[in-house]
Amino acid sequence: AQTVTQSQPEMSVQEAETVTLSCTYDTSESDYYLFWYKQPPSRQMILVIRQEAYKQQNATENRFSVNFQKAAKSFSLKISDSQLGDAAMYFCAYRSEITDKLIFGTGTRLQVFP
Amino acid sequence: EAQVTQNPRYLITVTGKKLTVTCSQNMNHEYMSWYRQDPGLGLRQIYYSMNVEVTDKGDVPEGYKVSRKEKRNFPLILESPSPNQTSLYFCASSQRGRGNTIYFGEGSWLTVV
């Protein structure tokens, strides 16, 4: 069975600085997708970025980028030029190629200080 | 506008009183799923459905039922709610295929007393 681990329950960053959130996963599948979701206080689930396992190039979306290390099964999220609006819970997620099931980590709460 | 609609958004109920949380999507998605979110545990899948009349258990199905009689609807049924089912519930839908965007409802806060 697949698992997703986020080992940082909480992180903090100063406005305009860069922060990296860690995520590791375990799977025996060869092709899959990985995601980062943001959950602000409203509890809405917002897709931040996605990465397909067979693509070696790391995905980027404006200030958000990932460091995808397939062999190490690591998928970290880097937020550059952090803004107050980035404060939220961030979930790493894995989508199975066999079941379409989306498996979440336990989340990292990010605080952004002015 | 593409959306997943859940109702009710907030509910306080008593132990043992059957309730249904409805979920409807307007995107003709085959795949639908229910998750519960609890502090420190992330989102855990309760049930999912690959298409009409096709449903399967997720990681935490005990105490829940689902049905998929129409493509757009995927209700979550708590036959006899208990306090340990107090949680935030999310419905989600997408086209089949791992890279397709998964759309989430706004969540339903359920408290069982």
Side-chain angles (χ1 to χ4, degrees):
Chain A
Q2 296 86 17
T3 58
V4 177
T5 302
Q6 292 179 253
S7 58
Q8 306 156 315
E10 292 189 358
M11 293 282 285
S12 61
V13 64
Q14 204 138 23
E15 211 174 356
E17 297 295 309
T18 296
V19 65
T20 298
L21 308 185
S22 301
C23 173
T24 58
Y25 60 95
D26 190 26
T27 185
S28 58
E29 297 176 348
S30 57
D31 196 16
Y32 45 86
Y33 268 84
L34 297 165
F35 304 85
W36 278 97
Y37 281 89
K38 172 185 178 181
Q39 189 183 52
S42 67
R43 298 300 188 129
Q44 183 183 4
M45 294 293 287
I46 301 167
L47 177 65
V48 174
I49 201 165
R50 81 181 82 193
Q51 172 83 42
E52 180 149 19
Y54 76 79
K55 287 187 178 176
Q56 298 206 354
Q57 187 175 7
N58 289 326
T60 62
E61 289 286 344
N62 301 313
R63 298 182 295 108
F64 298 87
S65 61
V66 299
N67 183 3
F68 173 50
Q69 304 284 332
K70 190 172 184 179
K73 296 180 182 173
S74 170
F75 182 60
S76 61
L77 174 70
K78 186 171 85 170
I79 307 174
S80 304
D81 186 25
S82 296
Q83 300 174 0
L84 295 177
D86 295 333
M89 182 73 88
Y90 286 82
F91 290 101
C92 178
Y94 168 103
R95 194 166 196 193
S96 167
E97 70 171 340
I98 297 173
T99 66
D100 273 336
K101 180 177 178 178
L102 190 65
I103 302 162
F104 289 89
T106 51
T108 296
R109 183 171 302 283
L110 178 66
Q111 293 181 300
V112 181
F113 295 103
Chain B
E1 179 190 353
Q3 58 185 6
V4 178
T5 304
Q6 297 179 224
N7 280 296
R9 295 286 318 284
Y10 304 91
L11 180 65
I12 301 174
T13 189
V14 296
T15 299
K17 185 177 181 182
K18 180 180 178 180
L19 70 93
T20 299
V21 186
T22 63
C23 174
S24 181
Q25 48 93 3
N26 63 357
M27 297 164 280
N28 202 38
H29 287 164
E30 299 100 345
Y31 182 85
M32 296 186 75
S33 182
W34 277 103
Y35 293 86
R36 62 177 287 173
Q37 182 179 357
D38 302 290
L41 297 177
L43 281 80
R44 294 178 293 166
Q45 191 179 53
I46 303 171
Y47 270 94
Y48 64 97
S49 170
M50 299 290 211
N51 214 324
V52 176
E53 302 292 0
V54 180
T55 63
D56 209 346
K57 295 177 180 179
D59 297 317
V60 288
E62 295 78 19
Y64 304 93
K65 285 176 56 178
V66 293
S67 67
R68 188 92 182 270
K69 293 182 170 41
E70 303 166 284
K71 201 170 188 179
R72 64 183 293 125
N73 296 321
F74 190 45
L76 179 70
I77 303 158
L78 285 74
E79 292 271 5
S80 182
S82 62
N84 65 11
Q85 292 178 297
T86 293
S87 188
L88 173 61
Y89 291 85
F90 285 99
C91 182
S93 77
S94 78
Q95 293 288 6
R96 294 289 311 278
R98 308 166 311 282
N100 284 301
T101 299
I102 296 173
Y103 294 81
F104 285 86
E106 292 182 298
S108 294
W109 286 94
L110 173 63
T111 301
V112 183
V113 298

